[in-house]
Amino acid sequence: MKILAFETTCDETSAAVLEGGVLRSNSVFSQIPLHRRYGGVVPELASRAHLEKIPFVLGSALAAAGIKTPLKKGGIGAVAFSRGPGLPGALMVGRVAAEAASELSGAPLIGVNHLEGHLLACEFSGGRTDRRLEFPLLALIVSGGHTEIWHARGYGDYHVLGRTRDDAAGEAFDKVAKLLGLPYPGGPAVEKEAAGARGKGPLFPRPFMPGTADFSFSGLKTAVSYHLAARLGADFYLAGKRLPAADRARVCRAFQDAAVETLVKKTADAARALGLKRIAVGGGVSANGALRAAFAALKGFEVRFSEKAYCSDNAAMVALCALRRLESAGFSNSLKVAPELANPGWKAGRRKAGVTSGRKKS
Ligand code: KG4
Ligand code: ZN
């Protein structure tokens, strides 16, 4: 069966075709150059760019998978899309494209949770989906918009143990990069700078927040800002004052060390508390080499990451979620799949979708 999937939650427009566990195509148009001059994603520009690019992205995904256009009845077995969480306008574009493809092909429509996509992306291996995750496991989702720890008990059966109370990990990387005058997205830029750092840098706090699996990264970001203000003057940002390159690299390494140590310790603590030996890490920040190395060095755990090509947003992971949903026969063929503007884990009544909140017990 061929599954056509769409991903438009933030600043990547993507369509993919998965057939029988083999990824036939995964077209991704990145809007990064469009948003770079603003130092972050501008939601309205993102929606418009999705609308403009989705026909081309879809066309190239279908062509690469050998699917004829216009879509015909029976040409596809299922149509999947990221229904959230994400930017409302951006989500709408993927959803409408998926509805149209479903209508034309007569295939059922499957709304997928984007964060589940980041987790299941760990199953791709050389374009195949047979490197299955083994449950139960502890999942860490680290992206530009989310930082969450889940107790994953099976496909679609996730219990949210903790999440960020303020900035997401990727957001902290992006904002620190901005303070330092580095380009968007900040994660890869900070990682590159940190790799070239020599000598001792400042020591930033580790926001471990004992007693909870929640995260908080805004204080760490503020600590970087205070350090820069002490070095360059309180008006450093608006006055365009920037550190010399060698100092900037040391600040990047010091920030990255603090963020990585916090993510790894809190994840390992949560896994130990539940007696879990398996950890899976997904989302854009999981591409970070220092984070991967720190998890690899953890004793007593088997840690899985997705291949780097599937860390950031892509439709392949959305198709894979749909495949697992179809395999477990719990899917919707209704056109009335509501877009989710927030993580469904935080809404009572969404528990049927398998994502439950660690806080509300009802
Ligand atoms: O998962 P993703 O592509 O989009 C969201 O769902 O948000 O994640 C994007 C985030 C950005 O904040 C970006 O700076 C961060 O992932 N990121 C990284 C790295 N590559 C991307 N953060 C740290 N190190 C990286 N190498
Ligand atoms: Zn994402």
Side-chain angles (χ1 to χ4, degrees):
M1 175 205 272
K2 293 186 179 99
I3 300 174
L4 169 65
F6 294 93
E7 159 60 40
T8 63
T9 56
C10 189
D11 61 347
E12 261 91 30
T13 315
S14 179
V17 176
L18 186 64
E19 184 179 11
V22 178
L23 190 61
R24 296 289 178 211
S25 61
N26 183 36
S27 300
V28 183
F29 172 80
S30 172
Q31 302 177 5
I32 285 173
L34 175 71
H35 299 290
R36 183 165 275 155
R37 60 193 286 220
Y38 305 102
V41 178
V42 182
E44 190 48 41
L45 292 182
S47 314
R48 287 186 208 177
H50 283 306
L51 201 55
E52 198 182 301
K53 298 297 179 197
I54 207 156
F56 301 102
V57 167
L58 171 62
S60 90
L62 291 175
I67 298 174
K68 290 206 175 64
T69 48
L71 285 173
K72 296 217 167 46
K73 291 274 176 231
I76 297 169
V79 181
F81 68 103
S82 274
R83 64 178 182 175
L87 302 170
L91 287 174
M92 208 56 78
V93 177
R95 179 207 162 117
V96 169
E99 284 178 353
S102 162
E103 195 67 38
L104 285 171
S105 62
L109 193 61
I110 304 176
V112 161
N113 179 281
H114 177 79
L115 302 182
E116 181 184 30
H118 278 307
L119 169 61
L120 297 196
C122 294
E123 297 195 331
F124 279 115
S125 173
R128 302 188 64 90
T129 60
D130 32 25
R131 215 175 140 244
R132 282 174 175 262
L133 289 169
E134 282 179 61
F135 297 97
L137 58 83
L138 206 287
L140 172 69
I141 316 290
V142 265
S143 70
H146 296 83
T147 303
E148 303 204 349
I149 290 184
W150 295 357
H151 180 192
R153 294 173 288 212
Y155 291 115
D157 185 4
Y158 313 118
H159 180 81
V160 182
L161 300 170
R163 59 165 191 162
T164 183
R165 294 185 183 177
D166 38 60
D167 291 355
E171 191 181 351
F173 270 93
D174 293 339
K175 287 177 176 170
V176 164
K178 200 169 174 181
L179 289 173
L180 290 165
L182 294 169
Y184 176 84
V190 168
E191 179 176 9
K192 198 165 159 227
E193 289 275 317
R198 301 280 170 269
K200 206 167 148 21
L203 182 68
F204 294 128
R206 272 70 175 147
F208 289 139
M209 301 212 300
T212 169
D214 281 354
F215 293 92
S216 168
F217 287 104
S218 76
L220 175 55
K221 175 191 68 189
T222 306
V224 175
S225 171
Y226 282 169
H227 173 79
L228 296 177
R231 286 282 313 272
L232 303 168
D235 66 339
F236 78 92
Y237 186 72
L238 291 177
K241 295 180 197 159
R242 302 291 180 252
L243 287 179
D247 291 345
R248 186 180 63 202
R250 283 193 283 267
V251 169
C252 284
R253 192 181 56 194
F255 163 76
Q256 182 175 269
D257 284 352
V260 164
E261 202 181 318
T262 306
L263 288 168
V264 173
K265 180 179 162 35
K266 292 200 61 100
T267 306
D269 284 352
R272 278 188 204 103
L274 290 169
L276 297 170
K277 296 277 176 232
R278 287 183 284 261
I279 293 173
V281 190
V285 182
S286 71
N288 186 281
L291 183 73
R292 287 175 175 245
F295 268 116
L298 260 186
K299 298 264 181 299
F301 293 101
E302 182 196 315
V303 187
R304 287 272 298 269
F305 283 90
S306 62
E307 289 176 353
K308 284 206 177 173
Y310 305 108
C311 288
S312 54
D313 294 347
N314 64 84
M317 67 188 196
V318 178
L320 182 46
C321 289
L323 175 65
R324 298 294 178 243
R325 190 92 55 90
L326 288 165
E327 285 167 351
S328 60
F331 69 95
S332 154
N333 62 0
S334 158
L335 284 180
K336 295 196 184 72
V337 182
E340 288 174 12
L341 306 185
N343 180 351
W346 307 109
K347 289 184 195 161
R350 286 273 182 218
R351 279 177 296 133
K352 273 198 209 112
V355 184
T356 54
S357 162
R359 295 169 164 195
K360 287 185 197 157
K361 289 212 170 79
S362 55

